[in-house]
Amino acid sequence: GDLYCDLCGQKINKPSELNYDHKIPQSRGGKTSVDNARPTHPRCNSIKTNILPDKWQYIGKGILNRYGICVDLLHAGYDYTGR
């Protein structure tokens, strides 16, 4: 099946567009494991930095929008709706 960026929800079209995000950042104690790895675009991942999921849930869509990245709510790994 198709692969989508967990952060922006846009399709990852080729290997050079694929990066993996630590949902719980390593700098915050997150492990490098299948359970903690999410497919992302390299740019989206670098924008997220080490923000924790519970905070990203509220501010992530706005941050991505400021960088000109439109969030596809259908495929994003976060429920940004209503925020």
Side-chain angles (χ1 to χ4, degrees), residues 2-83:
D2 292 329
L3 201 56
Y4 296 90
C5 176
D6 197 57
L7 301 172
C8 77
Q10 299 292 330
K11 191 173 176 185
I12 297 171
N13 293 304
K14 55 190 174 189
S16 64
E17 294 178 0
L18 176 61
N19 195 234
Y20 284 94
D21 174 54
H22 289 82
K23 194 152 182 142
I24 306 292
Q26 285 181 295
S27 64
R28 308 273 188 127
K31 306 283 185 233
T32 299
S33 66
V34 173
D35 293 342
N36 197 36
R38 299 292 186 271
T40 61
H41 293 113
R43 183 167 182 233
C44 295
N45 194 8
S46 70
I47 291 168
K48 179 186 170 248
T49 63
N50 69 342
I51 299 170
L52 289 168
D54 58 345
K55 186 171 183 185
W56 184 258
Q57 183 83 8
Y58 291 97
I59 66 172
K61 183 175 180 259
I63 291 172
L64 292 171
N65 287 167
R66 271 182 253 140
Y67 281 91
I69 298 170
C70 292
V71 175
D72 177 347
L73 296 173
L74 186 64
H75 294 107
Y78 290 85
D79 175 20
Y80 295 124
T81 54
R83 299 189 172 102

